[in-house]
Amino acid sequence: MATNKDKETLNLEMSIQVSLDGLSFCTLNTVEKEVVFYNKVRFQQQLDPIKLLAEIEEIFETNKSLDEVKQVKLIFDNALYSLVPANLFKEENASDYLKFNTKILKTDFISHEEIGNTGIVNVYIPYTNIINFFFEKFGEFEYQHLNTILVENLLKLPKVDRPQIFAHVKNKQFDLVVIENGQLLLCNSFSFTGKEDFLYYILFTAEQLNLKPDEVRLYLLGAISKASPLFKIAFEYIKYVELLEINFDLQKNEKLKGLYELEEYILLKSFL
């Protein structure tokens, strides 16, 4: 006879966000739409893909309950990507779209996926050793690039009367997405060390796109709050600045209160 725990286990799906500076695990009971497990790990410095895999293996070794998951989705978060119009994309030329943005090794595997119905293809380099680990453990599974999910969901937001700049802040990196009249103008990733660098990349991008700071709406999301130096300096130079609020249609365990930022949203949206 199946117990309640057995029934819950059968419905468990896990989404894992993988980056060189950290990992996030989210397990969802998809029938009840309830978060069962959430864990975020941040490294003191960026790891290479080999050391990153060792960290993942250790997490699975010390959390045996993760082996009960029946379905997995992997989300790669890195700057090894390029967006290409679908009508210009040719799979045999995939490496050509990346070679001007990043160093490509002969052993690199290049993947691609269309961003919803936008007519845009995201070409990127996933970590093959990580893919192999999860394939051996769970069999076939889905994986995507974080910015595929990010851009697709930002484009679904209501249109406003002026260009929108979205800055998804992580540790010492951020993704910048610019949308005007419901159309994607730019998606790029930047590394920064101080608040001045952060502001510079936003203003420089706006200048290159002929957007005036007093005419755009800047939305900040991710690892940022109104008390952050990043928010304060942006507010000094850009007229319309606000945090992007995200609403969740999922039950939340008490222990998970306050954890839902953009990263968690991306993990949860990957189930839906």
Side-chain angles (χ1 to χ4, degrees), residues 99-166:
K99 65 183 181 182
F100 299 108
N101 295 19
T102 186
K103 182 178 180 180
I104 302 176
L105 304 177
K106 290 183 178 180
T107 55
D108 282 337
F109 170 70
I110 299 176
S111 186
H112 67 275
E113 58 210 17
E114 189 159 351
I115 301 177
N117 298 317
T118 62
I120 303 169
V121 176
N122 188 359
V123 184
Y124 64 98
I125 300 176
Y127 305 126
T128 310
N129 61 330
I130 308 294
I131 291 176
N132 291 340
F133 169 81
F134 283 99
F135 181 78
E136 292 174 5
K137 199 168 191 65
F138 296 100
E140 291 188 5
F141 67 94
E142 293 184 16
Y143 63 86
Q144 279 186 299
H145 194 276
L146 181 142
N147 283 346
T148 298
I149 304 171
L150 176 63
V151 170
E152 181 177 1
N153 281 280
L154 292 180
L155 285 170
K156 291 178 180 178
L157 294 176
K159 296 179 183 179
V160 297
D161 59 352
R162 60 188 67 238
Q164 299 164 287
I165 299 178
F166 299 88

Coordinates of all heavy atoms in Angstrom, one line a residue, residues 99-166:
K99 N 32.0 32.9 -31.5 CA 33.5 33.1 -31.4 C 33.9 34.5 -31.2 O 35.1 34.8 -30.8 CB 34.1 32.6 -32.7 CG 33.7 33.3 -34.0 CD 34.3 32.6 -35.2 CE 33.9 33.4 -36.5 NZ 34.5 32.7 -37.7
F100 N 33.0 35.5 -31.5 CA 33.4 36.9 -31.2 C 33.1 37.3 -29.8 O 33.5 38.4 -29.3 CB 32.7 37.8 -32.2 CG 33.0 37.5 -33.6 CD1 32.1 37.0 -34.5 CD2 34.2 37.9 -34.1 CE1 32.4 36.7 -35.8 CE2 34.6 37.6 -35.4 CZ 33.6 37.0 -36.3
N101 N 32.3 36.5 -29.1 CA 31.9 36.8 -27.7 C 32.7 36.0 -26.6 O 32.9 36.5 -25.5 CB 30.4 36.4 -27.4 CG 29.5 37.2 -28.3 OD1 29.9 37.8 -29.3 ND2 28.2 37.3 -27.9
T102 N 33.2 34.9 -27.0 CA 33.9 34.0 -26.0 C 34.9 33.1 -26.7 O 34.8 32.8 -27.9 CB 32.8 33.2 -25.2 OG1 33.5 32.5 -24.2 CG2 32.1 32.2 -26.1
K103 N 35.8 32.6 -25.9 CA 36.8 31.7 -26.4 C 36.2 30.3 -26.4 O 35.6 29.8 -25.5 CB 38.0 31.6 -25.4 CG 39.1 30.7 -25.9 CD 40.3 30.7 -24.9 CE 41.4 29.8 -25.4 NZ 42.6 29.8 -24.5
I104 N 36.3 29.7 -27.6 CA 35.7 28.4 -27.8 C 36.8 27.3 -28.0 O 37.7 27.5 -28.7 CB 34.8 28.4 -29.1 CG1 33.7 29.4 -29.0 CG2 34.2 27.0 -29.3 CD1 32.9 29.6 -30.3
L105 N 36.6 26.2 -27.2 CA 37.6 25.1 -27.3 C 37.0 24.1 -28.2 O 35.8 24.0 -28.5 CB 37.8 24.5 -25.9 CG 38.3 25.5 -24.8 CD1 38.4 24.7 -23.5 CD2 39.6 26.1 -25.2
K106 N 37.9 23.3 -28.8 CA 37.5 22.2 -29.7 C 36.6 21.2 -29.1 O 35.8 20.6 -29.7 CB 38.7 21.5 -30.3 CG 39.6 22.4 -31.3 CD 40.7 21.6 -31.9 CE 41.5 22.5 -32.8 NZ 42.7 21.7 -33.4
T107 N 36.7 21.1 -27.8 CA 35.9 20.1 -27.0 C 34.6 20.6 -26.6 O 33.8 19.9 -26.1 CB 36.7 19.6 -25.8 OG1 37.1 20.7 -25.0 CG2 37.9 18.8 -26.2
D108 N 34.3 21.9 -26.8 CA 33.1 22.5 -26.4 C 31.9 22.0 -27.2 O 32.0 21.9 -28.4 CB 33.1 24.0 -26.5 CG 33.9 24.7 -25.3 OD1 34.0 24.0 -24.3 OD2 34.4 25.8 -25.5
F109 N 30.8 21.7 -26.5 CA 29.6 21.4 -27.1 C 28.7 22.6 -27.2 O 28.5 23.3 -26.2 CB 28.8 20.3 -26.3 CG 27.4 20.0 -26.8 CD1 27.2 19.4 -28.0 CD2 26.4 20.3 -25.9 CE1 25.9 19.2 -28.4 CE2 25.1 20.1 -26.3 CZ 24.8 19.5 -27.6
I110 N 28.2 22.9 -28.3 CA 27.3 24.1 -28.5 C 25.9 23.7 -28.6 O 25.5 22.9 -29.5 CB 27.8 24.9 -29.7 CG1 29.3 25.4 -29.5 CG2 26.9 26.1 -29.9 CD1 29.9 26.1 -30.7
S111 N 25.0 24.3 -27.8 CA 23.6 24.0 -27.9 C 22.9 25.3 -28.3 O 23.4 26.4 -28.4 CB 23.1 23.6 -26.5 OG 21.8 23.2 -26.5
H112 N 21.6 25.1 -28.7 CA 20.8 26.3 -29.0 C 19.3 26.0 -28.8 O 18.9 24.8 -28.7 CB 21.0 26.6 -30.5 CG 20.4 25.6 -31.5 ND1 21.1 24.5 -31.8 CD2 19.2 25.5 -32.1 CE1 20.4 23.7 -32.7 NE2 19.3 24.3 -32.8
E113 N 18.5 27.0 -28.6 CA 17.1 26.9 -28.3 C 16.4 28.2 -28.7 O 17.0 29.3 -28.5 CB 16.9 26.5 -26.8 CG 17.4 27.5 -25.9 CD 17.8 26.9 -24.5 OE1 18.0 25.7 -24.5 OE2 18.0 27.7 -23.6
E114 N 15.2 28.1 -29.2 CA 14.5 29.3 -29.5 C 13.8 29.8 -28.3 O 13.3 29.1 -27.4 CB 13.4 29.0 -30.6 CG 12.8 30.3 -31.1 CD 12.1 30.1 -32.5 OE1 12.3 29.0 -33.1 OE2 11.4 31.0 -33.0
I115 N 13.8 31.2 -28.2 CA 13.2 31.8 -27.0 C 11.7 32.0 -27.3 O 11.3 33.0 -27.9 CB 13.8 33.2 -26.7 CG1 15.3 33.0 -26.5 CG2 13.2 33.9 -25.5 CD1 16.1 34.2 -26.3
G116 N 10.9 31.0 -26.8 CA 9.4 31.1 -27.0 C 9.1 31.3 -28.4 O 9.6 30.6 -29.3
N117 N 8.2 32.2 -28.7 CA 7.7 32.5 -30.1 C 8.3 33.9 -30.5 O 7.7 34.6 -31.3 CB 6.2 32.5 -30.2 CG 5.6 31.2 -29.8 OD1 6.1 30.2 -30.3 ND2 4.5 31.2 -29.0
T118 N 9.5 34.2 -30.1 CA 10.0 35.5 -30.3 C 10.8 35.6 -31.7 O 11.1 36.7 -32.1 CB 11.0 35.9 -29.2 OG1 12.1 34.9 -29.2 CG2 10.3 35.9 -27.8
G119 N 11.1 34.4 -32.2 CA 11.9 34.5 -33.4 C 13.4 34.7 -33.1 O 14.1 35.1 -34.0
I120 N 13.8 34.4 -31.9 CA 15.2 34.6 -31.5 C 15.7 33.3 -31.0 O 15.0 32.6 -30.2 CB 15.3 35.7 -30.3 CG1 14.7 37.0 -30.8 CG2 16.7 35.8 -29.9 CD1 14.5 38.0 -29.6
V121 N 16.9 33.0 -31.4 CA 17.6 31.7 -30.9 C 18.7 32.1 -30.0 O 19.6 33.0 -30.3 CB 18.1 30.9 -32.2 CG1 18.9 29.7 -31.7 CG2 17.0 30.5 -33.1
N122 N 18.8 31.4 -28.9 CA 19.9 31.5 -27.9 C 20.9 30.4 -28.2 O 20.6 29.2 -28.1 CB 19.4 31.4 -26.5 CG 20.4 31.8 -25.5 OD1 21.6 32.0 -25.8 ND2 20.1 31.7 -24.2
V123 N 22.1 30.8 -28.6 CA 23.2 29.9 -28.9 C 24.1 29.9 -27.7 O 24.6 31.0 -27.3 CB 23.9 30.2 -30.2 CG1 25.0 29.1 -30.5 CG2 22.9 30.3 -31.3
Y124 N 24.5 28.8 -27.1 CA 25.3 28.9 -25.9 C 26.1 27.6 -25.7 O 25.9 26.6 -26.3 CB 24.4 29.1 -24.7 CG 23.4 28.0 -24.4 CD1 23.6 27.0 -23.4 CD2 22.2 27.9 -25.0 CE1 22.7 26.0 -23.1 CE2 21.2 26.9 -24.8 CZ 21.5 26.0 -23.8 OH 20.6 25.0 -23.5
I125 N 27.0 27.7 -24.7 CA 27.9 26.5 -24.4 C 27.5 26.0 -23.0 O 27.7 26.7 -22.0 CB 29.3 26.9 -24.4 CG1 29.8 27.4 -25.8 CG2 30.2 25.7 -23.9 CD1 31.2 27.9 -25.8
P126 N 26.8 24.8 -22.9 CA 26.6 24.3 -21.6 C 27.8 23.5 -21.1 O 28.8 23.3 -21.9 CB 25.4 23.3 -21.9 CG 25.7 22.9 -23.3 CD 26.3 24.0 -24.0
Y127 N 27.8 23.0 -19.9 CA 28.9 22.3 -19.3 C 28.6 20.8 -19.6 O 27.8 20.2 -18.9 CB 29.1 22.6 -17.9 CG 29.3 24.0 -17.6 CD1 28.5 24.7 -16.7 CD2 30.2 24.8 -18.3 CE1 28.6 26.1 -16.4 CE2 30.4 26.1 -18.0 CZ 29.6 26.8 -17.1 OH 29.8 28.1 -16.9
T128 N 29.3 20.2 -20.5 CA 29.1 18.8 -20.9 C 29.2 17.8 -19.8 O 28.4 16.9 -19.7 CB 30.0 18.4 -22.1 OG1 30.0 19.4 -23.1 CG2 29.6 17.1 -22.7
N129 N 30.2 18.0 -18.9 CA 30.4 17.1 -17.8 C 29.2 17.1 -16.8 O 28.9 16.0 -16.3 CB 31.7 17.4 -17.1 CG 31.7 18.7 -16.4 OD1 31.1 19.7 -16.9 ND2 32.5 18.9 -15.3
I130 N 28.6 18.2 -16.7 CA 27.4 18.3 -15.8 C 26.2 17.6 -16.5 O 25.5 16.9 -15.8 CB 27.1 19.8 -15.5 CG1 28.3 20.6 -15.0 CG2 25.9 19.9 -14.6 CD1 28.8 20.2 -13.7
I131 N 26.1 17.8 -17.8 CA 25.0 17.1 -18.5 C 25.2 15.6 -18.4 O 24.2 14.9 -18.1 CB 25.0 17.5 -20.0 CG1 24.6 19.0 -20.1 CG2 24.1 16.6 -20.8 CD1 24.7 19.5 -21.5
N132 N 26.4 15.1 -18.6 CA 26.6 13.7 -18.5 C 26.3 13.1 -17.1 O 25.8 12.0 -17.0 CB 28.1 13.4 -18.8 CG 28.4 13.7 -20.3 OD1 27.5 13.7 -21.1 ND2 29.7 13.8 -20.6
F133 N 26.6 13.9 -16.1 CA 26.4 13.4 -14.7 C 24.9 13.2 -14.5 O 24.4 12.2 -14.0 CB 26.9 14.4 -13.7 CG 26.4 14.2 -12.3 CD1 27.0 13.2 -11.5 CD2 25.3 14.9 -11.7 CE1 26.6 13.0 -10.2 CE2 24.9 14.7 -10.4 CZ 25.5 13.7 -9.7
F134 N 24.1 14.2 -14.9 CA 22.6 14.1 -14.7 C 22.0 13.0 -15.6 O 21.0 12.4 -15.3 CB 22.0 15.4 -14.8 CG 22.1 16.3 -13.7 CD1 23.1 17.3 -13.6 CD2 21.4 16.2 -12.5 CE1 23.3 18.1 -12.5 CE2 21.5 17.0 -11.4 CZ 22.5 17.9 -11.4
F135 N 22.6 12.9 -16.8 CA 22.0 11.8 -17.7 C 22.3 10.4 -17.1 O 21.4 9.6 -17.2 CB 22.7 12.0 -19.1 CG 22.2 10.9 -20.1 CD1 21.0 11.1 -20.7 CD2 22.9 9.8 -20.4 CE1 20.5 10.2 -21.6 CE2 22.4 8.9 -21.3 CZ 21.2 9.1 -21.9
E136 N 23.4 10.2 -16.6 CA 23.7 8.9 -16.0 C 22.9 8.7 -14.7 O 22.5 7.5 -14.4 CB 25.2 8.9 -15.6 CG 26.1 8.8 -16.8 CD 27.6 8.9 -16.4 OE1 27.9 8.9 -15.2 OE2 28.5 9.0 -17.3
K137 N 22.5 9.7 -14.1 CA 21.7 9.6 -12.8 C 20.2 9.5 -13.0 O 19.5 8.7 -12.4 CB 22.1 10.8 -11.9 CG 21.7 10.5 -10.4 CD 22.3 11.6 -9.6 CE 22.3 11.2 -8.1 NZ 23.1 10.0 -7.7
F138 N 19.7 10.3 -14.0 CA 18.3 10.4 -14.2 C 17.8 10.0 -15.6 O 16.6 10.0 -15.8 CB 17.8 11.8 -13.9 CG 18.0 12.2 -12.5 CD1 19.1 13.0 -12.1 CD2 17.1 11.8 -11.5 CE1 19.3 13.4 -10.8 CE2 17.3 12.2 -10.2 CZ 18.4 13.0 -9.8
G139 N 18.7 9.7 -16.5 CA 18.3 9.4 -17.9 C 18.0 10.7 -18.6 O 18.6 11.7 -18.3
E140 N 17.2 10.7 -19.6 CA 16.9 11.9 -20.4 C 16.3 13.0 -19.6 O 15.4 12.7 -18.7 CB 16.0 11.6 -21.6 CG 16.7 10.7 -22.6 CD 15.8 10.5 -23.9 OE1 14.8 11.2 -23.9 OE2 16.2 9.8 -24.8
F141 N 16.7 14.2 -19.8 CA 16.2 15.4 -19.1 C 16.3 16.6 -19.9 O 17.0 16.6 -20.9 CB 16.9 15.5 -17.7 CG 18.3 16.0 -17.9 CD1 18.7 17.3 -17.8 CD2 19.3 15.0 -18.1 CE1 20.0 17.7 -18.0 CE2 20.7 15.4 -18.2 CZ 21.0 16.7 -18.2
E142 N 15.6 17.7 -19.5 CA 15.7 18.9 -20.2 C 16.7 19.9 -19.6 O 16.9 19.8 -18.4 CB 14.3 19.6 -20.2 CG 13.2 18.9 -21.0 CD 11.9 19.7 -21.0 OE1 12.0 20.9 -20.6 OE2 10.9 19.1 -21.3
Y143 N 17.3 20.7 -20.4 CA 18.1 21.8 -19.9 C 18.0 23.0 -20.8 O 17.6 22.9 -22.0 CB 19.6 21.3 -19.8 CG 20.3 21.0 -21.1 CD1 20.9 22.0 -21.9 CD2 20.4 19.7 -21.6 CE1 21.5 21.7 -23.1 CE2 21.0 19.4 -22.8 CZ 21.6 20.4 -23.5 OH 22.2 20.0 -24.7
Q144 N 18.2 24.2 -20.2 CA 18.0 25.4 -20.9 C 19.1 26.4 -20.4 O 19.7 26.2 -19.3 CB 16.7 26.0 -20.6 CG 15.5 25.5 -21.5 CD 14.3 26.3 -21.3 OE1 13.7 26.3 -20.2 NE2 13.7 26.9 -22.3
H145 N 19.2 27.5 -21.1 CA 20.1 28.6 -20.6 C 19.2 29.5 -19.8 O 18.0 29.7 -20.1 CB 20.7 29.3 -21.7 CG 21.8 30.3 -21.3 ND1 21.6 31.5 -20.8 CD2 23.2 30.1 -21.2 CE1 22.7 32.1 -20.5 NE2 23.7 31.2 -20.7
L146 N 19.7 30.1 -18.7 CA 18.9 31.0 -17.8 C 18.3 32.1 -18.6 O 17.2 32.5 -18.4 CB 19.8 31.5 -16.7 CG 19.1 32.4 -15.7 CD1 19.5 32.2 -14.3 CD2 19.3 33.9 -16.1
N147 N 19.1 32.7 -19.5 CA 18.6 33.9 -20.2 C 17.5 33.6 -21.3 O 16.8 34.5 -21.7 CB 19.7 34.7 -20.9 CG 20.5 35.5 -19.8 OD1 20.0 35.6 -18.7 ND2 21.7 35.9 -20.2
T148 N 17.4 32.3 -21.6 CA 16.2 31.9 -22.5 C 15.0 32.1 -21.7 O 14.0 32.7 -22.2 CB 16.4 30.4 -22.9 OG1 17.6 30.3 -23.7 CG2 15.2 30.0 -23.7
I149 N 15.0 31.6 -20.5 CA 13.8 31.7 -19.6 C 13.6 33.2 -19.2 O 12.4 33.7 -19.2 CB 14.0 30.9 -18.3 CG1 14.2 29.4 -18.8 CG2 12.7 30.9 -17.4 CD1 14.6 28.5 -17.6
L150 N 14.7 33.9 -18.9 CA 14.6 35.3 -18.4 C 14.0 36.2 -19.5 O 13.0 36.9 -19.3 CB 16.0 35.8 -18.0 CG 16.1 37.3 -17.6 CD1 15.2 37.5 -16.4 CD2 17.5 37.7 -17.5
V151 N 14.5 36.1 -20.7 CA 14.0 37.0 -21.8 C 12.6 36.6 -22.1 O 11.8 37.5 -22.3 CB 14.9 36.9 -23.0 CG1 14.3 37.6 -24.2 CG2 16.3 37.4 -22.7
E152 N 12.3 35.4 -22.2 CA 10.9 35.0 -22.6 C 9.9 35.5 -21.6 O 8.8 36.0 -22.0 CB 10.8 33.4 -22.6 CG 9.4 32.9 -23.0 CD 9.3 31.4 -23.2 OE1 10.4 30.7 -22.9 OE2 8.2 30.9 -23.5
N153 N 10.2 35.5 -20.3 CA 9.3 35.9 -19.3 C 9.2 37.5 -19.2 O 8.2 38.0 -19.0 CB 9.6 35.3 -17.9 CG 9.1 33.9 -17.8 OD1 8.0 33.6 -17.6 ND2 10.0 33.0 -18.0
L154 N 10.3 38.1 -19.4 CA 10.3 39.6 -19.4 C 9.5 40.1 -20.6 O 8.8 41.2 -20.5 CB 11.7 40.1 -19.5 CG 12.6 39.9 -18.2 CD1 14.0 40.5 -18.4 CD2 11.9 40.5 -17.0
L155 N 9.6 39.5 -21.7 CA 8.8 39.9 -22.9 C 7.3 39.7 -22.7 O 6.5 40.3 -23.4 CB 9.2 39.1 -24.2 CG 10.6 39.6 -24.7 CD1 11.1 38.6 -25.8 CD2 10.5 41.0 -25.3
K156 N 6.9 38.9 -21.7 CA 5.5 38.7 -21.4 C 4.9 39.7 -20.5 O 3.7 39.8 -20.3 CB 5.3 37.3 -20.8 CG 5.5 36.1 -21.8 CD 5.3 34.8 -21.1 CE 5.6 33.6 -22.0 NZ 5.5 32.3 -21.4
L157 N 5.8 40.6 -19.9 CA 5.3 41.6 -19.0 C 4.5 42.7 -19.8 O 4.7 42.9 -21.0 CB 6.5 42.3 -18.3 CG 7.3 41.4 -17.3 CD1 8.5 42.1 -16.8 CD2 6.4 40.9 -16.2
P158 N 3.6 43.3 -19.1 CA 2.8 44.4 -19.8 C 3.7 45.5 -20.4 O 4.7 45.9 -19.8 CB 1.9 45.0 -18.7 CG 1.9 43.9 -17.7 CD 3.2 43.2 -17.7
K159 N 3.4 45.9 -21.6 CA 4.1 47.0 -22.2 C 3.9 48.3 -21.5 O 2.8 48.5 -20.9 CB 3.7 47.2 -23.7 CG 3.9 46.0 -24.6 CD 3.5 46.2 -26.0 CE 3.7 45.0 -26.9 NZ 3.2 45.3 -28.3
V160 N 4.9 49.2 -21.5 CA 4.8 50.5 -20.9 C 5.1 51.5 -21.9 O 5.4 51.2 -23.1 CB 5.8 50.6 -19.7 CG1 5.5 49.6 -18.6 CG2 7.2 50.5 -20.2
D161 N 5.0 52.8 -21.5 CA 5.0 53.9 -22.5 C 6.5 54.4 -22.8 O 6.7 55.4 -23.4 CB 4.2 55.1 -22.0 CG 4.7 55.6 -20.6 OD1 5.6 54.9 -20.0 OD2 4.2 56.6 -20.2
R162 N 7.5 53.6 -22.3 CA 8.8 54.0 -22.6 C 9.7 52.8 -22.6 O 9.3 51.7 -22.1 CB 9.3 55.0 -21.5 CG 9.2 54.5 -20.1 CD 9.5 55.6 -19.1 NE 8.5 56.6 -19.1 CZ 8.7 57.9 -19.3 NH1 10.0 58.3 -19.6 NH2 7.7 58.8 -19.3
P163 N 10.9 52.8 -23.1 CA 11.8 51.7 -23.1 C 12.1 51.1 -21.7 O 12.2 51.9 -20.8 CB 13.1 52.2 -23.8 CG 12.7 53.4 -24.6 CD 11.5 54.0 -23.8
Q164 N 12.2 49.8 -21.6 CA 12.5 49.2 -20.3 C 13.9 48.6 -20.3 O 14.3 47.8 -21.3 CB 11.4 48.1 -20.1 CG 10.0 48.6 -20.0 CD 9.0 47.4 -20.2 OE1 8.8 46.9 -21.2 NE2 8.4 47.1 -19.1
I165 N 14.6 48.8 -19.3 CA 15.9 48.2 -19.1 C 15.8 47.3 -17.8 O 15.4 47.8 -16.7 CB 17.0 49.2 -18.9 CG1 17.2 50.1 -20.2 CG2 18.4 48.5 -18.6 CD1 18.2 51.2 -20.1
F166 N 16.1 46.0 -17.9 CA 16.1 45.1 -16.8 C 17.5 44.7 -16.5 O 18.2 44.2 -17.3 CB 15.3 43.9 -17.2 CG 13.8 44.2 -17.5 CD1 13.5 44.5 -18.8 CD2 12.8 44.2 -16.5 CE1 12.1 44.7 -19.2 CE2 11.5 44.4 -16.9 CZ 11.2 44.7 -18.2

